[in-house]
Amino acid sequence: MAGEEQENNNNKGFRLLGILDVQNTPCARDAVLHGAGGSLGAGLLHFLTTSRVKRSFDVGFAGFLLTTLGSWFYCRMNNAKVRVQQRRIQDGIKNKIILQRTPHPGSRSEKKEILNRLQNFFLGSCPNLHKILRLFQASRLAHRRVTEVRRRLVYSDSSRSND
Amino acid sequence: MALPSQLGFQDAGSPLMEELLHFHDHALMVVFLISTMVLYIIVAMVTAKLTDKLVLDSQEIEIIWTVLPAIILILIALPSLRILYLMDEINDPHLTIKALGHQWYWSYEYTDYEDLGFDSYMIPTHDLTPGQFRLLEADHRMVIPTESPARVLISAEDVLHSWAVPALGIKADAVPGRLNQTTFIVNRPGVFYGQCSEICGANHSFMPIVVEAIPLEHFENWTSLMSEET
């Protein structure tokens, strides 16, 4: 079924000059339409100011080329940025799933967000809980600092032993 | 697979093929604009009055038609070179498969974790079931997990062959006595078809390549099943 629909689309696809499939190529249709508009505008403007027909056609065609190229590159760059973002999001989701339930599940901002949400949720039910949460945060920070100091000591010891 | 009378590329199954498609669209737009410009100049020259027959030189237009083609070539070359080097990157593959060309079938070996190997023959037309594709189906497919970088080592046992899967943007010659390597990642589950791309004898057109991409948990089941069968 999907194959038949795709086959119909491919058979009905309109190719400009037999080359460019404007229906199935991303950004092509918009670029050509913008180019046509730019060509009309530039040519008309030149004719209205100079009353030279042939030169106006030339200016109109130059406008078509420049507008088509400009619209094409702008649209392609935006599409490329969206593709890069999409891949980053996919990798992030994959990493999140892989790193779930490990001792250090996420980034610092993620932990902060979780703590903030917990704080906001429980503050309404238990007014003193925010003090407990602050103590918890302080203890986590202290634990992190102690771990860092231990890591530095171990590293400095190992580098001294190598020397 | 390619549809009947299809002129364009197949839908991309790997990031590399997506990049190739985008570059192709970019180059085609440049070709379209140049063709339009040539057509316009032809029409302008045909409809021009026969004055200015003694124009000998014009510095401005000479500069334009020297600099502009250089700029166009740079606009085409830069993305092309980027993709060229992208194709040669090796992204720490999780799986290595050997694809060996024979007259006239392919054999695949998965020897990373266990000794698994099988042959892949084309299904003859009279043995096809409804829904299967003529000259493209094989009795055993090369199965790989999705979203996992895979490396295929391609060689041949007798004459030259070529292992090609257009939807994944892969083609590598199978040369006897030589190992060619290609790496790829398949984005989505599906079945991707290819055909031998180097003349290798009477049945050169009848040794297709079928790559089936499935999720990792099903891939593990498949390897166990295939190991039991072989």
Side-chain angles (χ1 to χ4, degrees):
Chain A
M1 303 293 176
E4 289 174 7
E5 286 174 8
Q6 198 180 357
E7 188 179 343
N8 288 336
N9 281 340
N10 282 337
N11 288 336
K12 287 182 189 167
F14 176 64
R15 290 174 175 264
L16 278 177
L17 295 184
I19 300 171
L20 191 67
D21 186 353
V22 287
Q23 285 183 338
N24 295 324
T25 307
C27 301
R29 183 177 169 272
D30 289 342
V32 169
L33 287 174
H34 287 141
S39 156
L40 199 66
L44 203 60
L45 202 64
H46 188 269
F47 176 71
L48 289 173
T49 50
T50 61
S51 299
R52 292 173 72 176
V53 177
K54 203 161 166 39
R55 183 56 60 94
S56 300
F57 270 108
D58 295 340
V59 167
F61 183 74
F64 169 77
L65 285 182
L66 291 172
T67 317
T68 305
L69 267 177
S71 171
W72 172 258
F73 278 117
Y74 178 74
C75 180
R76 299 284 286 187
M77 269 173 55
N78 284 340
N79 279 3
K81 280 181 196 170
V82 165
R83 274 204 317 275
V84 166
Q85 274 177 357
Q86 187 185 0
R87 267 187 222 145
R88 273 192 196 155
I89 289 168
Q90 276 179 346
D91 287 343
I93 291 171
K94 218 187 313 179
N95 285 340
K96 195 169 180 178
I97 293 170
I98 288 168
L99 292 171
Q100 220 172 16
R101 294 189 185 175
T102 54
H104 302 284
S107 62
R108 202 177 290 172
S109 59
E110 199 180 5
K111 285 184 218 171
K112 203 176 171 182
E113 197 193 317
I114 292 169
L115 280 170
N116 284 340
R117 280 194 192 169
L118 277 171
Q119 202 169 352
N120 292 336
F121 178 70
F122 283 112
L123 267 179
S125 56
C126 180
N128 289 329
L129 196 60
H130 69 282
K131 291 181 187 172
I132 298 170
L133 280 171
R134 273 187 202 155
L135 280 171
F136 173 71
Q137 283 175 7
S139 72
R140 291 278 295 180
L141 194 63
H143 172 73
R144 202 185 305 152
R145 282 183 184 159
V146 163
T147 314
E148 188 61 41
V149 165
R150 274 189 197 153
R151 205 179 293 149
R152 277 186 204 158
L153 281 172
V154 165
Y155 178 71
S156 63
D157 281 344
S158 63
S159 63
R160 265 187 226 150
S161 62
N162 287 338
D163 291 340
Chain B
M1 55 159 280
L3 296 164
S5 70
Q6 177 174 336
L7 292 178
F9 288 115
Q10 298 175 33
D11 289 341
S14 68
L16 183 64
M17 190 59 199
E18 283 179 15
E19 293 296 324
L20 285 168
L21 283 180
H22 292 125
F23 172 69
H24 175 261
D25 293 339
H26 166 70
L28 212 57
M29 176 56 84
V30 172
V31 165
F32 166 71
L33 289 175
I34 292 172
S35 306
T36 316
M37 189 171 68
V38 168
L39 197 63
Y40 179 79
I41 291 171
I42 289 171
V43 168
M45 287 174 75
V46 161
T47 55
K49 294 180 189 170
L50 293 176
T51 55
D52 295 332
K53 286 186 289 187
L54 299 176
V55 172
L56 296 177
D57 66 350
S58 169
Q59 296 297 322
E60 295 83 9
I61 199 166
E62 296 251 355
I63 290 170
I64 290 171
W65 70 34
T66 305
V67 169
L68 199 58
I71 293 172
I72 291 171
L73 285 175
I74 289 169
L75 282 178
I76 295 175
L78 288 177
S80 172
L81 288 172
R82 179 183 150 264
I83 294 176
L84 189 67
Y85 283 95
L86 204 66
M87 285 165 69
D88 283 340
E89 276 186 7
I90 298 174
N91 298 325
D92 190 22
H94 296 167
L95 181 66
T96 300
I97 305 166
K98 296 180 205 59
L100 297 167
H102 308 256
Q103 281 178 315
W104 288 278
Y105 62 97
W106 292 94
S107 64
Y108 301 106
E109 294 173 17
Y110 293 67
T111 47
D112 279 338
Y113 304 107
E114 52 195 28
D115 199 9
L116 171 62
F118 55 89
D119 298 334
S120 175
Y121 282 85
M122 184 188 84
I123 298 178
T125 307
H126 53 82
D127 286 341
L128 289 171
T129 55
Q132 287 189 315
F133 302 115
R134 191 181 71 94
L135 305 186
L136 285 176
E137 297 285 354
D139 55 359
H140 294 109
R141 297 171 170 174
M142 187 184 107
V143 178
I144 49 171
T146 51
E147 299 287 349
S148 298
R151 166 170 43 210
V152 182
L153 298 173
I154 299 154
S155 185
E157 294 283 349
D158 34 44
V159 298
L160 290 177
H161 300 272
S162 183
W163 196 81
V165 184
L168 303 178
I170 302 168
K171 185 180 289 183
D173 280 353
V175 181
R178 179 185 169 87
L179 278 180
N180 282 333
Q181 174 185 267
T182 181
T183 55
F184 59 95
I185 300 175
V186 182
N187 283 345
R188 54 186 169 92
V191 182
F192 307 98
Y193 297 93
Q195 291 174 296
C196 179
S197 300
E198 185 68 39
I199 187 79
C200 52
N203 287 347
H204 155 68
S205 310
F206 308 112
M207 48 182 296
I209 297 133
V210 187
V211 176
E212 184 174 349
I214 56 179
L216 188 61
E217 55 269 21
H218 302 302
F219 176 73
E220 291 169 3
N221 296 339
W222 174 81
T223 49
S224 316
L225 206 69
M226 285 300 289
S227 299
E228 284 166 18
E229 271 184 31
T230 52

